């Protein structure tokens, strides 16, 4: 039983999964707060469904305020103050951010989305913003008190998010020292953020992804008026602590990041941040679901003993704990690699391409694991698992979203295939794992991948899935052993 | 593409999956109605969440009415009129009932629960009721017009449903020609039914399952007053077209079915009916989810072509269609076997034990398949799949319930193990499959099962899952080939 | 008690309040249907709150469909088929329409709004539409089957509805044989109607009400695409059976009614129709609330007898029935007068001005009476009156809306004052009442009004309310005596 | 305009309405907190509708917890800490409690119900509890920190609250040093309170009100288990910050207050406290609605000027401010009188009878005024007033409940009549007002009342209402002048 004890709280597990836990005291104090004060808040937000939007104030002026309960902001700001954003730039490392994301998403997987997209705003601004733009906006994002601004990442339009080259119809027109954007963003995370990064196509730019640019879009114009409209919030099945909205940009003021023809690189760098966060949150969610299952299995009896003590269930707990460790190792490897490459500019190093493959494997594998664990937790609860009253069905809803946003499994497979094909990333991975994985296994897997890559495109895609899954399992296993 | 065409509607698939489709014209006319009139009703019921209960009328009298919209009853009664109950007794066959359940649950998986529990009331009444009890109640359940009564099956109490011997605390006291029941039923399907079967323990009976008896409990006492209270409806994540409630029995009038010491057999016979229905509904749900995925994949484009025409996705459709056929074959075999044994009384034949094993395999396998397919359909829809607006997340919620009620996967495995151990049901199964399965495969599997069965109990349970899964896959594959 | 019997159903009261009831059999058959089939539908719609809007279909195309349950349309279409619109033009009389509105709004006061605004679309089209426009649209509005189109009246924008001259910012630009409208309508009744009349200002027109024109705006452009967007539905406290939305017109195709500089007259003619409907609905609602109070008072006892038989309550029932008759007489007089003048074009007759004053008095008086009665009905129910479960709080919510839309009490007083001042409408009224009102009372009231009209503007407005109320009471009393 | 300024916040108005405001600094600090921190909490609670009840914990044990958001308790406890209960006993005066209730209910009229019923528990316990009972429970109710217990007053059952003699069916059986209560309370305010007072009939007691007794019922038995069940929370139209539930008492432990045959006096003393609170809350609510109307009228323009500057509306503001002062004066007189008599035991003094009449007049008059003002505020807002988004419709819902609970208007009239008839309370009132009211008016009114009191019962009740209203208006006017 003692091994299972580690799953009851995030720090307990981190201690078993990392050689040392940086920022241990910070994490402990956060864990204390979230496990007491934040739990009922998070549940209440989930039960409440999508919040209201107040579109007009009493004078008839459009305001587009999102009416979360006041306690939502208490919870939300806690993470900002703890440093989920400011530490990344102050400590020049992403490790503290992702540690906080792990610890917090054990309690609320949705609220880590605002943190992640704020990171996805602050980091590109710090890398690609002009001095003036940085001076204007960065201090707000890095504030250590409740005046902190939030960021947001608005890429996807109604045509869909996978094929951004075709899907982004938002147009950008230059207007003096800034740009004016017009278009509709369909999945706009953190819709009430004070500052967002948004993909748009400058007038006259190339078609496809080459013609995209990345812009900063503040919530208010420089004259103080609203710079955009929130058409509505999405009625999502979960992650209700992030307000995902539809945003209407109408000649909205914007500031170019980087150059007008390099947007796709910046977009993908933003996506790297959120994809890695997705993996970290997926593992934390799986741990949480297991912790709930454990608490239940300890207090329920059938056929004369606690259900935890029934051999089949007990075995499932042990096996799943093993998988949890593998999944964490894979996710954390994507964190460690990203921490090494996130300051790179194109053209990127091999380390970056290795990171990309690991990030695809981790996104794919951890989300599948989170769903499977959430489903299992519901089954452990039997009929109670299907009731809103007991709260565990929430983990399946949350996990299902994790499997879809930042790219579905389908997309991870195909993008993983591409980075293997173009950059030989699988070879980089095998070299990276050298020492921890037996060489005959590596040779066999490498040969199978080479075979796959030489197939005609159609065949390659059709056959990619089992091999990608095998590679993910292989990598996770050897990282955690 | 032509093979995929079969999944668009239930009858299309049934035509490919059965050598002939009995009651073809009836099913066609039902399909026409449900695919037009019932679709918006079913969606509206799901969106509305749990219905209100009106507990008191204006005079202050307790009435406990469930306030579904009027159109709910239009939809519900359609199935009764089509014969989902009366045909079983009139045609002395369960085939028409399960065909209707397949066709209807493609459109609304929840509404088949009222049908199933009505079947689970009418059949035991017809087998085990006294002449007087039958005369009094059976005609109402078999009515062919809107005066039809509904049935219900109320077994589970708050202690849980797996270990009924310990979990049923409801007490029955004899009172002249009837009994009086007192206790709380926690998962009471179809809580507003006019007649229910309920498990209870006669005063002074043995502890454990041997002391259980099965009773008929009408909604109204013979003096016309309410015979029970609906404490509340459960806030389930899905199947909102069945009102599952908590029922308070307080000296509620009841009529014994069979003898006071044979209840557990009757309870398991009732469970047979619903477990088989669960398998049929699971397959229909999977087909429905696939049909939605197909419609979406046909109308969405990425990278210059319909997403249906992308090789990986196209391959997934074909592979999943193959699995759908296997799953149906397994589910339908449980229907065919049940149709042969449902009139048996204990002691049961080998055919009955064969049925039990197939029913466990089918319940387990089809529910897993339904969940996996619903999850995949959400992923095919990308971000839209996570939105309530697009309705496909519903299939995951519905499927998740199917995996839990009538016994979780865990329970199917352990009960399947028991019937193999005690009745050698796996041997009966291999004999049954002789001719369709290659004999070396059979021999290998049989040997592995024998090995498992000789292990100490703890080890046996721990190792049961992969073998049970293998047996389910094996059986499904050979039945559909 | 026999007099109270008349309030149980609308036709019963109409028989006592009108010398003969035209279309008696039609009304009886409608009453039969609404009192049985429609009652649960109407309650379910009210309980459900605002319906969903499906903004995008699965292909990503904007569709803006309002997701009422299917049964809503069953209920809604019933009135159209009965002739609430087509009879007005076929029988060249508004009497059948308002009789149907009375009878139906006893069961659902909200659903009479779609009928009224459809009338407010069909009648101006028939009076002011070009032959081509009429040929294109009118048959759809007058259809006697379920293909019937609905109308809508969209005037108000966010600046408010009283001062349309300042509040209407929607701009109309000529474009060949049609116009293109751009602007936001804030209170757009029946937002999913196939055809609406909308107020807009042609480019370059005069400021103020003189520069307004009235346009027909179809839901779909001539090329079949959506001609407008529904930004959202309003979350109103009642009348949930009318979908009131915010409409975004963006270069929306439109057809001018009448001339571009006479819009204000057409707008006011449309308002006449709905203001009179508002009075009729208010009285029907008051009757309904009383009917509910009666049913309650008959089945509840306190201090040893039915509460209906307590002297104070019994007296209140009698007094309120008397007021109901007065209120109906006043409302119906506005119907009768409108029926005489609705075909007039400007410049209008004295009869028209008399109508206007009576319509103001009726709107004011009946809405106040409806609120007061709804409040009283809640009090009769005691604590149960405050519970959603018992449904009578709905009447207060519905009544409160009736007191506000089509002009608040405030507005009726000031507009009533204006028609007295400019057109001497009070003298026309006294002449109209000659014979039924005692001449000394008339003389006294007329003198007081004359005195009021000679006051300085500020004083006149300040002192107007009690005199206006007195005039309303006087008129109602003498019309019903 | 300067007079209108006083309505913007509660303390501003109290300063104009009272010669000195006791506890001024305390009230100011409370006002500061409630006007900032509590406002969004209160709105969120109202929007959320009735909270969930968690009936079972994960072990299957009944817990009946009410799931308000965490911030609800922050808000709720604020009032207890400020001293709404403990000051009454520590300062031996009810003035601080009612001042706090006025100030707080300006921001949330519902939350003053928990405070009032806690007062209604603590005071009778301190007057009538045995030393042992007081020692056991009173310190919890008077705690100055967050460990404070709440009280509750559970009288009404489904038969209705006016005729308690017939309506209370709950039975009390003696059991050693305590009693066991069995019955259902239908309107149980503050259903999750740690301690309630409840009316019940000891076995064998007289029928009617003479046979009632008042008991203390703790939430938990002395063995720590739940002492009662919350069947459900009521879905009320307002006051959502008080959880009103249906309570099932089943052999619930209870402690007698006073003697077993004096319950009706104790019940009425409890009712005195809440009836006076109701008047105070009604006036605060009216002030709040006016403050909202003022804010709106200042920021909206029509016909070229702020709507506040239109003569009719401006006049209405002034007139209503005058009425507000009268209503407050009447309500506060009931506070002052209660403060003088609340420690009396039966038989009561003339002062007590005077209090009763004033309390009836105040309850009646202030609730009517609150409704009328809330309705007017909605009208001032025009269409926006009917939208949930703008929040002013809430005041009508809240006011409507104030007019019903603690006795409808009907009941105030009849009970007022009784105290005039039996105790000549009108004469006591006229003596009390001597000096402030002109003697000829007094004489005329007194004569009319005497005439009324000599009528036969039926006639007396029928004619009571206008005279009662006149007496209320007369009293309010002369108290405020």
């Amino acid at each position: 039983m003692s091994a299972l004890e580690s799953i009851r709280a995030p720090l307990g597990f981190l201690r078993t999964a990392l050689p040392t836990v940086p920022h241990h005291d910070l994490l402990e104090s956060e864990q204390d707060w979230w496990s007491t004060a934040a739990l009922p808040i998070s549940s209440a937000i989930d039960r409440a469904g999508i919040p209201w939007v107040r579109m007009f104030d009493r004078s008839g002026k459009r305001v587009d305020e999102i009416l979360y309960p006041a306690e939502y902001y208490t919870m939300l700001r806690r993470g900002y103050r703890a440093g989920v954003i400011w530490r990344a730039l102050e400590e020049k490392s992403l490790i503290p951010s992702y540690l906080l994301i792990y610890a917090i998403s054990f309690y609320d997987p949705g609220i880590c989305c605002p943190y992640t997209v704020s990171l996805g705003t602050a980091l590109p601004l710090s890398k690609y913003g002009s001095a003036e733009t940085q001076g204007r906006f960065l201090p707000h994002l890095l504030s250590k008190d409740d005046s902190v601004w939030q960021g947001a990442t608005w890429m996807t339009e109604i045509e869909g998010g996978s094929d951004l080259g075709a899907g982004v119809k938002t147009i950008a027109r230059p207007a003096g020292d800034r740009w004016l954007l017009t278009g509709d963003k369909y999945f706009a995370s953190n819709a009430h953020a004070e500052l967002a990064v948004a993909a748009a196509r400058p007038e006259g730019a190339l078609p496809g992804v080459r013609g995209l640019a990345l812009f900063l879009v503040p919530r208010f114009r420089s004259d103080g008026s609203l710079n955009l409209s929130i058409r509505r919030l999405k009625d999502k099945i979960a992650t209700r602590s992030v307000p995902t909205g539809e945003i209407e940009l109408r000649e909205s003021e914007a500031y170019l990041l980087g150059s007008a023809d390099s947007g796709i690189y910046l977009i993908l760098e933003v996506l790297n941040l959120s994809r890695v966060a997705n993996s970290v949150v997926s593992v934390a969610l799986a741990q949480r679901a297991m912790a709930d299952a454990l608490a239940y299995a300890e207090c329920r009896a059938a056929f004369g003993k606690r259900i935890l003590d029934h051999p089949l269930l007990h075995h499932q707990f042990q096996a799943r704990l093993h998988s949890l460790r593998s999944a964490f190792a894979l996710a954390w490897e994507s964190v460690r690699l990203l921490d090494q490459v996130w300051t790179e500019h194109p053209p990127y190093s091999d380390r970056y391409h290795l990171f990309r493959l690991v990030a695809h494997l981790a996104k794919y594998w951890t989300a599948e694991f989170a769903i499977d664990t959430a489903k299992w937790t519901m089954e452990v609860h039997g009929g109670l698992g299907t009731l809103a009253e007991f709260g565990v069905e929430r983990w399946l809803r949350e996990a299902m979203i994790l499997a879809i946003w930042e790219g579905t499994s389908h997309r991870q497979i195909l993008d993983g295939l591409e980075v293997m094909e173009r950059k030989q990333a699988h070879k980089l991975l095998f070299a990276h794992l050298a020492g921890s994985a037996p060489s005959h296994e590596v040779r066999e897997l490498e040969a199978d991948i080479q075979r796959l890559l030489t197939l005609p495109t159609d065949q390659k895609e059709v056959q990619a899935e089992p091999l990608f899954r095998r590679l993910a399992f292989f990598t996770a296993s050897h990282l955690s052993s």
Side-chain angles (χ1 to χ4, degrees), chain A:
Chain A
M1 269 310 298
S2 59
L4 277 181
E5 289 304 313
S6 68
I7 65 173
R8 295 194 196 271
L11 196 50
F13 180 73
L14 288 176
R15 278 196 215 102
T16 71
L18 291 175
T20 64
V21 181
H23 291 292
H24 185 279
D25 291 355
L26 170 70
L27 292 172
E28 191 156 56
S29 103
E30 290 308 299
Q31 176 174 295
D32 286 352
W33 188 84
W34 286 84
S35 64
T36 50
L39 266 187
I41 303 178
S42 173
S43 302
I45 299 289
D46 180 58
R47 279 199 305 276
I50 50 165
W52 288 25
V53 177
R54 179 189 283 139
M55 277 202 183
F56 296 92
D57 70 8
R58 58 158 63 109
S59 77
K61 192 161 66 89
R62 190 87 183 247
V63 291
D64 291 12
E65 289 170 358
I66 299 178
L67 296 183
Y68 275 109
E71 60 186 6
Y72 170 79
Y73 294 99
T74 305
M75 184 171 82
L76 177 69
R77 286 185 190 125
R78 179 87 194 187
Y80 289 113
R81 264 191 283 119
V84 71
I85 310 305
W86 63 258
R87 287 184 192 274
L89 287 170
E90 191 166 308
E91 306 188 8
K92 298 193 193 318
S93 164
L94 300 179
I95 300 292
S97 299
Y98 286 111
L99 281 170
L100 282 165
I101 286 174
Y102 189 86
I104 293 172
S105 50
F106 181 89
Y107 300 105
D108 191 314
I111 207 144
C112 286
C113 174
Y115 300 154
T116 302
V117 294
S118 292
L119 213 50
T121 305
L123 297 192
L125 170 55
S126 77
K127 272 178 80 173
Y128 297 105
S130 70
E132 198 198 325
T133 312
Q134 289 194 17
R136 189 164 175 176
F137 295 118
L138 205 47
H140 291 298
L141 293 170
L142 301 180
S143 162
K144 294 178 180 177
D145 62 28
D146 285 355
S147 70
V148 66
W149 280 20
Q150 294 199 80
T153 60
W154 300 343
M155 310 296 180
T156 308
E157 303 183 6
I158 182 63
E159 304 287 323
S162 299
D163 181 5
L164 280 182
V168 173
K169 312 279 195 200
T170 295
I171 288 297
R173 289 192 305 105
D177 67 337
R178 65 198 68 168
W179 296 67
L180 298 177
L181 268 54
T182 295
D184 291 356
K185 292 293 172 182
Y186 185 71
F187 273 109
S189 298
N190 222 19
H192 58 164
E194 286 84 0
L195 194 65
V197 293
R201 187 179 305 279
E203 268 186 335
L206 291 174
V209 293
R210 297 282 152 202
L212 297 180
L214 191 66
F215 295 89
L216 274 184
V217 184
R219 179 165 164 80
F220 296 101
R221 290 178 200 278
S222 41
D223 69 2
S225 63
L226 259 190
N227 194 28
L228 48 86
S229 300
I230 301 176
R231 185 196 290 147
R232 57 172 179 164
L233 295 186
K234 319 296 286 184
D235 190 357
K236 290 168 300 172
I237 57 168
T239 63
R240 284 165 184 155
S241 43
V242 52
T244 307
E246 298 176 15
I247 296 287
E248 294 172 342
L249 303 170
R250 297 288 181 270
E251 304 279 303
S252 300
E253 292 179 2
Y255 301 86
L256 181 65
L257 289 177
S259 64
D261 58 357
S262 66
I264 187 61
Y265 294 104
L266 277 67
I267 291 168
L268 291 177
E269 289 187 11
V270 168
L271 197 55
N272 287 339
L273 291 163
S274 56
R275 191 167 282 161
V276 167
N278 200 91
S279 301
V280 169
V281 173
S282 293
V283 181
L285 170 66
Q287 190 197 331
R288 170 60 185 274
M290 287 179 67
D292 282 5
L294 179 60
Y296 182 79
E298 286 172 332
C299 77
R300 281 280 175 164
F303 302 105
K305 54 186 168 184
R306 298 190 311 173
I307 65 173
L308 180 60
D309 298 332
H310 285 254
L312 176 48
L313 186 60
H314 194 257
H315 171 69
Q316 289 177 341
F317 266 105
Q318 299 294 352
R320 200 164 286 274
L321 174 59
H322 185 78
S323 301
L324 180 71
R325 286 185 182 135
S326 297
F328 180 82
L330 183 55
W332 202 251
E333 194 68 12
S334 75
V335 169
R336 294 202 320 125
L337 289 168
L338 177 59
D339 196 43
Q340 295 165 17
V341 305
W342 72 274
T343 54
E344 290 190 12
H345 291 67
Y348 300 111
S349 70
D350 270 0
R351 198 83 186 157
Y352 183 90
H353 301 308
L354 168 62
F355 157 74
R356 276 190 58 202
L357 178 57
V358 171
H360 288 308
L361 293 169
K363 163 71 172 75
Y364 168 81
W365 185 254
T366 58
E368 294 288 315
F369 178 65
I371 293 176
D372 190 66
T373 303
K375 165 180 173 290
W376 171 81
T377 293
M378 289 179 70
E379 288 172 3
V380 170
H381 281 75
L384 304 189
T386 69
L387 301 180
E389 186 166 5
F390 287 85
V392 293
E393 51 78 43
R394 176 179 172 190
W395 309 128
L396 181 62
R397 292 185 280 113
E398 304 277 3
M400 200 61 227
I401 288 189
L402 291 169
I404 286 179
W405 64 8
E406 318 311 336
T408 60
S409 295
H410 202 195
R411 184 100 323 262
Q412 304 308 320
I413 295 168
L414 295 178
D415 287 358
L417 205 62
E418 191 197 10
V419 76
M420 289 192 271
E421 199 160 14
R422 292 212 194 157
K423 308 291 180 180
Q424 303 295 304
H426 52 302
K427 296 188 179 170
L428 301 170
L429 175 61
F430 293 133
H432 184 64
L433 292 175
S436 55
S439 54
H440 70 277
E441 269 193 52
V442 168
R443 273 196 306 275
E444 196 182 327
L445 190 49
E446 185 169 350
D448 288 351
I449 291 175
Q450 287 304 125
R451 233 180 336 265
L452 178 78
L453 295 181
T454 57
L455 291 173
T457 303
D458 275 25
Q459 277 311 304
K460 197 161 41 192
E461 294 194 7
V462 162
Q463 298 183 23
E465 191 166 9
L467 204 51
F468 190 79
R469 184 183 300 131
R470 198 171 128 206
L471 184 59
F473 179 74
F474 171 87
T475 309
S477 302
H478 291 299
L479 285 168
S480 66
S481 60

